[in-house]
Amino acid sequence: MMVTIGVLAVQGDFEEHMAMLETLGVEVKDVRLPRDLHGIDGIILPGGESTAMTTIMLRRGMWDALKKAFEEGLPAYGTCAGSILLAKDIGAGSDRVKPFGMIDMVIERNAYGRQIASREVFLEEHELGEDEPLHAVFIRAPRIVKVGPAVKVLATYDGDPVLVREGNFLASTFHPELTDDYRVHEYFVKMVKGEV
Ligand code: GLN
C-alpha cells in the first residue's frame, strides 16, 4: 500500500523529516497551506518553536484546517515542538502556543533546561522491536509529566515517557530525524497504513 505523508513546513526542521521519509520510500509532501492537506494520509509536525508554528498556522488558516483533519482521523506524529502541539495540556506553557489537544497528556515546555541543554542518548526502554537501544536527540525538549489512561507509552528516558501514542496520534519529545535511526518513522508509516 502506497501512502503519502505530509510534513508541516511552516517552521522548524521539516527538511530532515522529509529526507527521512523519502529514504523510507513513501511519497512526501510539504504542507504549508490548508489546501496542501488534500491527498495526504498522515502528517508530521516537526521540531522547532511551538510559539512560531502556532502564530504562522493561525495566520494561514492552517490551525483550524489541521484541527478539523485530526478530528476526522488524519494520523499525526509530532516531534518535540510538534509533540507540544499535539498535547491536551501544556501547563503554564505559553499563551502563544495553541495545542491541538489530541493526546491526553500534560507536557511542560523547555523542562530539561535552557537553549544549550541538548543531549544525545540511547533509550534502552522502548517497544519498537529489536533489542537495539533507540537513538534519540533532545533539544530544549519538553517533558511529559502526566499521561491519561488511553495513552500508550512506547519509550521512556529516566522514567519519563518520551514516545507516546494515543489512537492515531504519536509524539516524541526527542528528534529521531537528526539520527540515522529510522524506527520511529517506520512505526509511524505502519500506523498510517493501519498495520500497528
Ligand atoms: N522549545 C521548543 C518549543 O517549546 C521545542 C524545541 C524543539 O522542537 N527542539 O516549542
Side-chain angles (χ1 to χ4, degrees):
M1 178 187 166
M2 200 57 203
V3 290
T4 301
I5 304 218
V7 180
L8 182 70
V10 300
Q11 194 269 337
D13 75 333
F14 51 88
E15 283 174 353
E16 284 81 356
H17 281 287
M18 295 180 77
M20 203 151 209
L21 290 169
E22 270 157 18
T23 309
L24 289 179
V26 297
E27 280 298 319
V28 186
K29 185 173 171 184
D30 53 328
V31 174
R32 296 166 196 271
L33 294 166
R35 62 163 183 261
D36 300 328
L37 292 171
H38 293 293
I40 61 168
D41 304 297
I43 188 165
I44 289 183
L45 310 181
E49 274 306 324
S50 48
T51 48
M53 284 189 223
T54 299
T55 307
I56 300 168
M57 285 193 292
L58 287 172
R59 199 189 296 145
R60 293 184 186 172
M62 254 327 268
W63 197 96
D64 289 325
L66 263 179
K67 175 76 176 170
K68 184 164 174 278
F70 292 156
E71 281 168 351
E72 289 169 0
L74 181 73
Y77 167 34
T79 57
C80 204
S83 70
I84 297 167
L85 291 172
L86 287 178
K88 232 174 219 151
D89 188 340
I90 58 167
S94 161
D95 20 337
R96 291 183 299 140
V97 179
K98 190 174 178 191
F100 293 106
M102 308 315 291
I103 298 180
D104 185 11
M105 62 176 172
V106 183
I107 194 163
E108 282 175 8
R109 298 180 64 221
N110 304 322
Y112 292 106
R114 299 163 67 89
Q115 180 78 36
I116 44 161
S118 67
R119 194 174 353 167
E120 186 169 4
V121 299
F122 289 87
L123 306 171
E124 306 276 350
E125 308 286 326
H126 72 80
E127 290 185 28
L128 291 195
E130 305 163 46
D131 288 335
E132 285 291 295
L134 202 57
H135 195 174
V137 173
F138 291 92
I139 303 169
R140 295 178 61 226
R143 182 164 170 223
I144 297 170
V145 294
K146 200 174 163 196
V147 292
V151 177
K152 200 169 166 207
V153 176
L154 295 170
T156 58
Y157 176 62
D158 263 359
D160 289 331
V162 290
L163 175 66
V164 296
R165 174 179 177 180
E166 181 174 353
N168 274 339
F169 303 97
L170 182 70
S172 68
T173 55
F174 58 90
H175 296 264
E177 77 283 6
L178 301 180
T179 72
D180 52 14
D181 194 330
Y182 286 80
R183 284 174 288 171
V184 185
H185 287 74
E186 272 166 354
Y187 181 87
F188 181 58
V189 172
K190 282 192 193 150
M191 239 177 89
V192 170
K193 291 179 175 172
E195 295 171 0
V196 287

